[in-house]
Amino acid sequence: MVDLLNTTPKIKSEDAIGGEHDNPRVTTHLISSAQPPMGRADDKEKVKELLFYGFKESSALGKDGVSIVSIVGQGGIGKTTLAKMVFNEVKEQFGNRRWWVCVSEKPNRMGLLKKILKEVCKESVRELKGTYSLSDLCTRLQSKLSKSKFILVLDDVWELDGWWGDIAGILLGGAKESKILITNRKVEVSQAIGAKIHKLSQMSFDESWSLFLRVAKKQEYELESHHLKRIGEKIVAKCGGLPLVVQTVGSLMRTKRMTKDDWESVEKSEIWEWKMPVSTSSSSEICGSILPGLMLSYDDLPHYLKSCFVYCCIYPKNYEIKRDRLVMQWMAHGLIDQKKAIDVEVTANQWISDLINRFMIEETEYKDLKLHDILHDLALYIGGKEYSHASATEHTRHLSLLGVDDADAQKHNASGAANKLCTILTSELPLVYAKDLANFKCLRVLSLRECRIDELPKSIEDLALLKYLDLSHCHVRRLPSSIGRLCNLQTLDLSNSRIGELPKEMGKLCNLRYLGLKDAEELEFVAEGLGKLTNLRTLHRFRVCDDKGDTRGCKIEEIKDLNKLKGELSIEGLGGGRVKVIDAEKAELKEKHELIRVKFDFEVREDDKVGSASEQKGLLEALKPPHSIERLEIWGYTGDRPAWYSDTNCGKLQTLWLLSCPSWDTVTGIKSLEELGVSNCPTLCELRSMPLLKSLEIWECDGLNTIGDLPALESLDVNRCEKLKTLANMPALESLEVKRCGRVEQVADDHMPALKRLWLSDLNILKQLPTRLPSLEKLSVNNLPNWESTLTSMPCLREAHFYKCPKMQTKGWIYALLEMAGYDGQAIQLQRLSVWNCPSARLGWKLLEQLPNLVELGLDSESAVLLPSPLPSQVSTFLPSLTCLYLRDNNVNEEVKWGRVPEWVWGLSQLEELKLNSFSEDISLGGHWQCFLKLRKLMLSKFPNLKSLVDVNVITPQQNETTCATDAQQQIACLSNLQSLTIDSCPALHLPQELSDRLAKRLDID
């Protein structure tokens, strides 16, 4: 065992390694797949109580404001784990408006704003690319946070300087009843932002002992029988009640024999007494009781795992790392032992599993990897001066510029260490060292991921030792011909880049194992030569190309010698007559036994000639995939089923997608299929014999008239299948969507016990729904002109939406709804209801009174008969839970027209969102707004005669002028608290200037 008392732990120079920033998604809400944490149930409930009930009405952060709660405790005590527990349990209250952002040490305000926006926007990350000014970021974030209530977790907040002052106003100005939960180590930080504080204490000995036994996979009686229990208890006592230490030490003991010598070697180790010099640690806490246990676990690692663990400190804290990229970078630095007949990728993945099992690295729910921040401190300390973030010295071997903005990057020129650097990592930055690239002759890993560069410098050819080059998400369109001189290159990642062509010199990269081309949508030409890359393991796309001038394009037969390919392969350019059957046979695709996902793309371009169906069938016959295939996609194929499509040849096939295959008439016989998608296959008429199928999507298959029994099917989506009439028995079905299938007469039998979601749209013949759906939670019915039925037995229904169903009646709904509630007197659980353009529905108060849990209601005057109306003072007792109301008047049919906003609306004082549309007779809506103290959103649309929202000039001589003015001010004050006021097509409306000024950017007038 290493004597840490007399030596400074430092990785040997030959083991020194580095890494690169893998994933720009630096925000995460990671909920570990491991067993639930022990001993924190009470803490969880206390934090939830603080979040929801810990603020008084009079507080600046009252229950109608944005409240902040802070979990405070030392590193490794389980703050993040506790926050994850709370985060998971508030899903019902906040839905998809739950966001998790890792802050870490010394964040800059621009970077943190981008982190939060990327998490909040999710699907809109691409929009964020062009937004760089602080003002733009603040405006966009403010808009997102003001829409409705949210919970935002800010994990690992160290200090407030440099960011809180700029961001606080935006966060605290979010939607009412929003929550911010932070985790940090200092009470002073929590006090500075006015947070309610929950101090997290160490685990008790009993809790620590239980966790230790679970992780070590030992039973107490086992330890007693081997006389090891007392030794084990001493070891646990030294862990100081810190879950992180207990876990890592527990995993260490899992590897030890059940002997007294082995267990005492740990319990009596001198490492328990070792302290790290304070000056060398980025965190003073690592000098305390937490360090020895972690160092003990590190010291017990095999030598090869030590190097791999230290490698990870090149990443900033809390960054996620893609497993594949981590493996490739380990390879680039020569960390993986080459074993006979075993690929280094396989070995590396096993080592990752070993580190996870030892709790030295974490696996996220998305199978990415990251280091706990204290383990990051430990790895960075062991790595010594060879690892550097942001700036380089003469000792630096591995330099990371991740998270460094442009200005700072320009300051830290690494030219002085150029001849020693082995790793340079940048992200979202210009290439600051481009002109000096030739000086970095020792580089083995170079990541320019997301750098804003248009071309790769020719001097790249001087990096003879380079093994890893990441150009993903870059703007580079062409590679220089000098790329061929990088004969040691193992990884070239061009995924999501703008690369347009690959030069013939690519064929000289004889050691290349990974060529990433996924989502490189602008790739048009690949020169001949890929067939020489016989060491390739990963090739996402193989594009067959015509010749380009004097340069020969890539041919299908070049696949022949690529027998080491693994994972997925998309073969493109098969249409257009550019591939002959004899050449396809030479590819010997069936010999690529480690491929599990294959796509055949026959789609043609504008200038391509169209090949015959028989030619394409011969071509697909020749490209028989290996028996190992699990996923198969075929696009734009005009032939019929190839002979190799059978249960015998595709016995492992789980997923099949057929897109635009006009001659493919049946999908049968593959018993292993679990997922099937078919789109634009007009001759498809039969689906059967798929006993394991769980998911089925069928779009635009006009020849399909029935779907047979599918006993395991859980999700079915059918759209634009004009001949489809019936659906057979599907007892396991949970989600069903049927749209634009004009001949469907029946969507299911009367008993679908598992169905939770039913969405029907544009079904012209359908007259009835199943009479018994015991598990249905959400029902959406749209444009069913002949449907006459009403709700039947649906006891679990929570959400129902009806639109354009002219024959639908609500007669009998009360009986059905009472049946929903059961016979024990419990309230009906329906929470969301909307009825639009359903003139026979005649929804009335007698029905609405039976819906005490209704949260959201949408009605138009054509579908509802709400006369006689209750008094405004009574309506809240009928609908006590209602927070969102949408009303639309009918200005075409005078018989059903409301004309003005009904008086009962103003009695719903609990409303948070109100939308009013097409009320033509209202001139003023003043005098009511002070009733809506909780209103967050107001939308007014198509009020042609509306002139005012606030009655300011309604003073009469008989009125007290002061009182009237105060009333107007109360109305303005109430409207000023809105998070959003939208006014559309209200040409006569004039807003008081004071109200416009107060609302500012929260006001939208069209």
Side-chain angles (χ1 to χ4, degrees):
M1 183 173 290
V2 177
D3 183 2
L4 297 179
L5 293 171
N6 299 313
T7 61
T8 300
K10 190 177 186 303
I11 222 167
K12 294 181 180 179
S13 59
E14 60 266 27
D15 291 333
I17 43 146
E20 59 83 58
H21 163 47
D22 159 75
N23 194 340
R25 187 186 67 216
V26 295
T27 59
T28 175
H29 44 86
L30 308 172
I31 311 301
S32 173
S33 59
Q35 296 184 53
M38 304 181 69
R40 295 304 189 195
D42 289 343
D43 291 289
K44 178 192 69 178
E45 293 305 319
K46 288 177 181 177
V47 172
K48 288 172 63 178
E49 185 176 350
L50 283 176
L51 277 171
F52 293 103
Y53 310 110
F55 294 85
K56 298 178 180 178
E57 293 284 347
S58 59
S59 169
L61 303 175
K63 78 171 191 177
D64 291 334
V66 178
S67 54
I68 308 178
V69 172
S70 176
I71 301 173
V72 180
Q74 70 181 100
I77 203 168
K79 300 183 299 296
T80 299
T81 300
L82 176 58
K84 290 174 186 176
M85 294 169 66
V86 174
F87 185 86
N88 260 354
E89 293 206 2
V90 298
K91 184 175 182 179
E92 184 176 344
Q93 291 95 323
F94 297 98
N96 60 0
R97 290 181 68 80
R98 298 178 306 142
W99 305 311
W100 187 292
V101 177
C102 295
V103 179
S104 295
E105 299 177 67
K106 299 180 181 179
N108 65 71
R109 56 188 180 181
M110 287 283 287
L112 185 56
L113 278 169
K114 286 184 178 181
K115 278 186 181 184
I116 297 174
L117 263 177
K118 282 183 179 181
E119 179 67 5
V120 170
C121 296
K122 296 204 185 293
E123 301 300 327
S124 306
V125 171
R126 288 182 179 269
E127 285 183 26
L128 192 58
K129 294 289 184 183
T131 305
Y132 293 103
S133 76
L134 182 62
S135 175
D136 286 343
L137 290 171
C138 290
T139 300
R140 189 171 295 193
L141 182 58
Q142 188 174 45
S143 172
K144 295 290 184 182
L145 296 184
S146 64
K147 289 184 177 179
S148 59
K149 68 180 181 181
F150 61 85
I151 182 168
L152 171 65
V153 179
L154 297 177
D155 187 30
D156 201 18
V157 176
W158 283 69
E159 57 186 45
L160 304 177
D161 294 344
W163 67 276
W164 178 253
D166 295 303
I167 297 179
I170 300 171
L171 299 182
L172 299 180
K176 295 178 182 178
E177 298 186 22
S178 295
K179 314 295 178 186
I180 297 175
L181 178 61
I182 73 171
T183 68
N184 71 302
R185 304 182 186 185
K186 298 178 180 179
V187 172
E188 295 81 6
V189 171
S190 301
Q191 291 173 337
I193 60 178
K196 290 285 186 179
I197 298 173
H198 176 75
K199 288 186 179 181
L200 193 58
S201 59
Q202 297 169 345
M203 291 198 305
S204 68
F205 177 81
D206 289 341
E207 292 166 344
S208 299
W209 179 245
S210 297
L211 179 58
F212 173 82
L213 291 176
R214 189 174 78 182
V215 174
K217 295 186 177 179
K218 308 295 182 189
Q219 298 293 330
E220 193 164 340
Y221 72 83
E222 289 183 85
L223 300 183
E224 288 176 341
S225 65
H226 288 82
H227 306 289
L228 298 176
K229 181 181 177 183
R230 190 169 182 181
I231 302 174
E233 289 175 338
K234 290 181 179 180
I235 292 173
V236 171
K238 292 182 177 184
C239 294
L242 299 174
L244 178 63
V245 181
V246 175
Q247 285 183 318
T248 54
V249 174
S251 67
L252 163 63
M253 300 314 296
R254 190 169 61 215
T255 68
K256 299 299 182 182
R257 295 175 301 170
M258 297 282 281
T259 66
K260 185 176 181 181
D261 288 344
D262 274 23
W263 281 58
E264 282 190 339
S265 70
V266 174
E267 191 269 321
K268 295 182 178 180
S269 171
E270 292 179 326
I271 294 179
W272 291 110
E273 306 300 324
W274 190 78
K275 303 291 183 182
M276 179 188 294
V278 176
S279 60
T280 65
S281 175
S282 61
S283 169
S284 60
E285 291 180 21
I286 200 172
C287 306
S289 60
I290 195 169
L291 175 66
L294 301 184
M295 184 62 82
L296 192 69
S297 298
Y298 169 79
D299 185 57
D300 191 68
L301 292 175
H303 69 90
Y304 52 86
L305 288 185
K306 289 181 179 179
S307 297
C308 294
F309 167 73
V310 173
Y311 166 91
C312 299
C313 76
I314 195 67
Y315 296 91
K317 289 183 178 180
N318 294 310
Y319 265 66
E320 296 177 4
I321 312 167
K322 289 291 184 186
R323 181 184 289 251
D324 287 347
R325 292 202 177 106
L326 185 63
V327 166
M328 291 182 287
Q329 291 166 18
W330 281 354
M331 289 165 47
H333 287 292
L335 299 179
I336 314 299
D337 293 337
Q338 180 75 56
K339 298 180 180 179
K340 187 176 181 180
I342 301 178
D343 273 352
V344 289
E345 291 90 345
V346 175
T347 301
N349 275 291
Q350 181 56 55
W351 291 3
I352 288 174
S353 297
D354 290 345
L355 286 170
I356 292 172
N357 290 335
R358 290 172 177 266
F359 290 90
M360 300 303 287
I361 58 176
E362 300 175 30
E363 184 178 44
T364 75
E365 65 173 326
Y366 301 113
K367 304 301 181 183
D368 295 335
L369 307 166
K370 73 173 208 174
L371 279 180
H372 189 284
D373 55 353
I374 292 181
L375 285 166
H376 187 281
D377 286 337
L378 177 63
L380 192 59
Y381 170 69
I382 296 170
K385 296 180 180 179
E386 294 182 359
Y387 290 83
S388 181
H389 290 206
S391 60
T393 69
E394 59 179 337
H395 303 289
T396 305
R397 300 294 178 269
H398 310 286
L399 175 64
S400 170
L401 297 176
L402 306 179
V404 180
D405 60 31
D406 294 9
D408 286 341
Q410 299 290 347
K411 297 176 186 176
H412 301 302
N413 194 304
S415 299
N419 62 343
K420 297 178 181 179
L421 279 176
C422 299
T423 306
I424 293 180
L425 316 178
T426 68
S427 179
E428 299 186 55
L429 295 173
L431 183 58
V432 296
Y433 306 128
K435 62 181 180 180
D436 300 322
L437 198 58
N439 297 326
F440 295 83
K441 297 185 182 297
C442 292
L443 274 183
R444 286 170 173 79
V445 170
L446 176 59
S447 174
L448 306 178
R449 181 179 172 83
E450 293 200 9
C451 288
R452 299 188 296 275
I453 55 174
D454 297 321
E455 61 179 351
L456 199 61
K458 185 177 181 298
S459 56
I460 193 76
E461 68 185 51
D462 297 315
L463 306 182
L465 299 179
L466 193 65
K467 294 185 177 182
Y468 180 98
L469 178 59
D470 188 351
L471 298 174
S472 60
H473 296 269
C474 286
H475 294 180
V476 173
R477 297 183 182 276
R478 297 186 62 181
L479 297 177
S481 58
S482 59
I483 194 75
R485 298 189 181 182
L486 301 181
C487 58
N488 287 306
L489 199 64
Q490 297 173 340
T491 299
L492 176 58
D493 195 352
L494 297 166
S495 302
N496 294 96
S497 70
R498 294 186 178 178
I499 195 73
E501 60 180 80
L502 297 180
K504 61 183 179 181
E505 288 78 12
M506 288 285 297
K508 298 179 181 180
L509 303 178
C510 56
N511 286 302
L512 199 66
R513 302 171 73 94
Y514 181 100
L515 178 55
L517 295 172
K518 184 178 288 187
D519 296 320
E521 298 177 356
E522 297 183 29
L523 182 64
E524 294 290 333
F525 180 73
V526 179
E528 185 179 49
L530 288 190
K532 299 176 183 178
L533 306 181
T534 56
N535 278 310
L536 270 181
R537 268 65 173 179
T538 299
L539 176 62
H540 296 119
R541 299 168 60 195
F542 185 95
R543 189 172 186 85
V544 181
C545 298
D546 295 321
D547 296 344
K548 184 178 181 180
D550 296 333
T551 305
R552 288 176 56 82
C554 191
K555 307 303 178 188
I556 190 68
E557 55 265 36
E558 290 196 71
I559 295 178
K560 177 182 178 180
D561 295 323
L562 305 182
N563 288 324
K564 296 179 181 179
L565 287 178
K566 297 181 177 183
E568 64 181 278
L569 176 64
S570 173
I571 304 177
E572 304 169 7
L574 294 173
R578 62 177 58 85
V579 180
K580 299 187 181 300
V581 173
I582 190 173
D583 295 329
E585 290 174 343
K586 294 177 183 178
E588 297 182 359
L589 188 64
K590 62 183 178 182
E591 302 301 326
K592 316 308 184 265
H593 298 297
E594 295 193 70
L595 286 176
I596 58 174
R597 297 182 295 275
V598 175
K599 173 183 172 182
F600 298 114
D601 191 344
F602 288 83
E603 292 184 327
V604 296
R605 307 177 195 175
E606 291 184 7
D607 299 332
D608 285 345
K609 63 179 182 179
V610 179
S612 68
S614 61
E615 288 175 343
Q616 289 203 358
K617 181 178 180 181
L619 186 56
L620 193 57
E621 293 273 15
L623 290 172
K624 178 182 177 180
H627 291 311
S628 58
I629 189 172
E630 297 177 3
R631 181 184 179 97
L632 175 64
E633 296 184 32
I634 304 175
W635 291 31
Y637 169 69
T638 59
D640 58 10
R641 287 191 306 162
W644 51 257
Y645 179 81
S646 68
D647 199 38
T648 303
N649 294 312
C650 303
K652 295 183 179 181
L653 190 65
Q654 297 176 8
T655 302
L656 173 65
W657 281 86
L658 304 172
L659 282 78
S660 301
C661 300
S663 300
W664 202 295
D665 57 356
T666 61
V667 179
T668 62
I670 306 296
K671 295 180 180 179
S672 59
L673 267 186
E674 297 183 6
E675 179 183 350
L676 173 62
V678 186
S679 177
N680 193 21
C681 298
T683 62
L684 181 72
C685 60
E686 187 177 13
L687 294 171
R688 60 177 174 84
S689 301
M690 293 176 282
L692 301 180
L693 195 68
K694 295 181 179 179
S695 175
L696 175 60
E697 291 187 31
I698 310 173
W699 288 55
E700 298 181 283
C701 296
D702 291 341
L704 186 66
N705 54 39
T706 186
I707 298 176
D709 290 354
L710 299 169
L713 196 68
E714 297 176 356
S715 176
L716 173 60
D717 184 351
V718 187
N719 198 331
R720 295 184 184 275
C721 296
E722 292 298 328
K723 292 184 180 180
L724 183 66
K725 293 184 178 180
T726 60
L727 306 178
N729 184 38
M730 300 173 190
L733 198 65
E734 295 182 0
S735 176
L736 173 61
E737 295 186 26
V738 185
K739 305 174 187 175
R740 299 179 182 89
C741 299
R743 298 187 185 182
V744 166
E745 300 172 351
Q746 181 180 346
V747 294
D749 62 12
D750 281 348
H751 185 63
M752 301 186 73
L755 192 67
K756 295 180 180 179
R757 181 176 180 269
L758 178 59
W759 187 350
L760 305 174
S761 178
D762 300 286
L763 307 178
N764 297 331
I765 299 178
L766 185 72
K767 293 184 177 182
Q768 291 185 334
L769 296 183
T771 58
R772 179 164 174 76
L773 296 171
S775 300
L776 194 69
E777 297 176 359
K778 183 174 181 179
L779 173 65
S780 180
V781 182
N782 178 16
N783 195 20
L784 269 60
N786 289 296
W787 178 50
E788 300 174 351
S789 298
T790 62
L791 294 182
T792 54
S793 180
M794 303 175 189
C796 295
L797 194 65
R798 299 291 183 273
E799 193 168 336
H801 304 284
F802 306 96
Y803 177 67
K804 283 190 177 180
C805 299
K807 296 184 179 181
M808 184 194 81
Q809 300 180 23
T810 57
K811 184 179 180 180
W813 273 27
I814 294 178
Y815 173 80
L817 291 170
L818 289 173
E819 185 178 351
M820 289 180 194
Y823 299 100
D824 56 359
Q826 71 181 60
I828 296 166
Q829 296 303 306
L830 191 67
Q831 296 176 353
R832 288 175 173 81
L833 173 66
S834 63
V835 186
W836 308 102
N837 298 103
C838 300
S840 300
R842 300 184 65 80
L843 191 90
W845 283 109
K846 192 173 182 180
L847 173 62
L848 292 176
E849 288 174 14
Q850 304 296 324
L851 305 177
N853 290 302
L854 202 64
V855 174
E856 182 179 303
L857 176 63
L859 295 173
D860 62 10
S861 60
E862 185 179 16
S863 307
V865 179
L866 299 177
L867 294 174
S869 297
L871 295 173
S873 59
Q874 296 175 318
V875 71
S876 287
T877 62
F878 298 154
L879 298 169
S881 303
L882 195 70
T883 58
C884 301
L885 177 64
Y886 315 136
L887 294 181
R888 185 179 66 212
D889 201 2
N890 187 313
N891 286 314
V892 177
N893 187 347
E894 291 290 333
E895 294 182 2
V896 297
K897 181 178 179 180
W898 285 328
R900 295 175 180 271
V901 177
E903 284 296 318
W904 56 263
V905 171
W906 313 115
L908 292 167
S909 58
Q910 76 275 22
L911 281 184
E912 298 177 7
E913 187 169 331
L914 177 62
K915 295 182 181 179
L916 302 172
N917 188 305
S918 302
F919 290 90
S920 59
E921 297 179 14
D922 273 303
I923 299 174
S924 172
L925 295 179
H928 302 293
W929 303 116
Q930 64 271 30
C931 302
F932 292 138
L933 299 179
K934 296 183 178 182
L935 196 65
R936 303 189 328 264
K937 292 183 180 180
L938 175 62
M939 177 181 289
L940 304 175
S941 180
K942 297 180 181 178
F943 279 69
N945 298 307
L946 183 64
K947 295 182 179 180
S948 67
L949 287 185
V950 177
D951 289 338
V952 178
N953 301 313
V954 293
I955 306 170
T956 66
Q958 291 76 27
Q959 291 176 315
N960 183 300
E961 189 168 330
T962 304
T963 303
C964 191
T966 302
D967 181 64
Q969 289 299 315
Q970 287 177 345
Q971 296 179 55
I972 291 177
C974 182
L975 290 171
S976 299
N977 289 329
L978 289 172
Q979 295 165 11
S980 171
L981 172 57
T982 302
I983 299 173
D984 179 31
S985 301
C986 301
L989 180 61
H990 173 73
L991 293 181
Q993 188 61 45
E994 181 181 357
L995 178 60
S996 298
D997 293 342
R998 286 195 186 186
L999 287 170
K1001 294 181 180 180
R1002 291 174 287 157
L1003 174 63
D1004 183 11
I1005 300 179
D1006 188 1

